[in-house]
Amino acid sequence: MNIQSAKTQFAKIELANITHLTAFKSYVDECVDDGIVLYEFIFNNYAAYLKKRIAYARGEQLPKGWTPITTYFCIENGVILGSIRVRQGSNDYINNVIGHIGYETRPSVRGQGVAEFMLSNIQKTVMVDDVIITCDPDNLASRKVIESCGGVFLNQFYCEEENQHVLRYRLASE
């Protein structure tokens, strides 16, 4: 898939909904095969997981302490190229560890601009205020995406509970 032409002609960002189920199955399978832990616990119950993610956007079925999370897919020709999640509200965990925005790209299309396209689109169409966005210090690709969208480095944070370092950035809405 040629994302460069897709950015302006074919790829689009869509709010996750149950009609994406078939494409979601394919996306999840490829992500799990590549070791993306976010999806490892679906246990082939794709519909229930997708429905839960859709409910999260309405503030329903959220685990204790979670804020609503809206999931969007980057789709080209019926194929999910990436997923991006936007968390509403703030708490210490969001502000310091996971950030307001999380995303991943389908492994087979990494390096083709999908993550930057998604983040830039969310920045222009969804964000109304500045947000915190984080990434693993070793994830150079994510750092480049955040910085290319104008992310301003704030600091490195260490979360003792998860034994995890993250780089924190402030990202302004456009």
Side-chain angles (χ1 to χ4, degrees):
M1 292 177 210
N2 182 351
I3 302 306
Q4 297 303 337
S5 64
K7 285 183 185 179
T8 56
Q9 296 178 352
F10 305 109
K12 55 188 171 189
I13 305 295
E14 294 185 14
L15 184 62
N17 68 65
I18 200 64
T19 64
H20 297 125
L21 183 58
T22 300
F24 183 66
K25 288 178 183 178
S26 172
Y27 177 76
V28 166
D29 288 347
E30 187 173 326
C31 288
V32 170
D33 287 347
D34 194 61
I36 296 177
V37 297
L38 175 66
Y39 300 112
E40 286 181 347
F41 304 101
I42 290 180
F43 302 119
N44 295 321
N45 200 345
Y46 304 93
Y49 184 87
L50 184 55
K51 287 177 182 176
K52 181 169 58 171
R53 282 286 170 180
I54 294 165
Y56 284 180
R58 297 187 302 263
E60 301 169 358
Q61 302 179 31
L62 292 166
K64 185 177 181 175
W66 284 31
T67 64
I69 306 164
T70 304
T71 299
Y72 301 87
F73 295 132
C74 178
I75 299 177
E76 179 184 45
N77 298 322
V79 175
I80 295 175
L81 306 179
S83 176
I84 188 164
R85 292 159 304 284
V86 180
R87 297 171 186 91
Q88 293 87 48
S90 289
N91 58 37
D92 285 343
Y93 190 66
I94 290 172
N95 287 332
N96 293 316
V97 182
I98 60 173
H100 290 95
I101 297 175
Y103 57 85
E104 73 279 339
T105 300
R106 185 182 199 104
S108 61
V109 296
R110 285 187 187 140
Q112 297 180 34
V114 174
E116 184 177 345
F117 174 69
M118 290 189 302
L119 186 56
S120 176
N121 181 281
I122 292 300
Q123 203 175 8
K124 293 173 185 167
T125 63
V126 175
M127 290 174 48
V128 293
D129 293 313
D130 291 3
V131 299
I132 300 297
I133 187 165
T134 66
C135 68
D136 184 290
D138 296 329
N139 190 338
L140 184 58
S142 191
R143 289 170 59 183
K144 286 181 178 181
V145 166
I146 294 167
E147 291 169 2
S148 72
C149 289
V152 176
F153 178 74
L154 298 174
N155 61 4
Q156 181 166 309
F157 181 82
Y158 177 71
C159 178
E160 288 184 26
E161 294 171 359
E162 296 187 20
N163 189 28
Q164 174 185 2
H165 286 273
V166 296
L167 301 180
R168 296 176 65 247
Y169 293 83
R170 179 169 315 284
L171 186 66
S173 62
E174 290 190 6

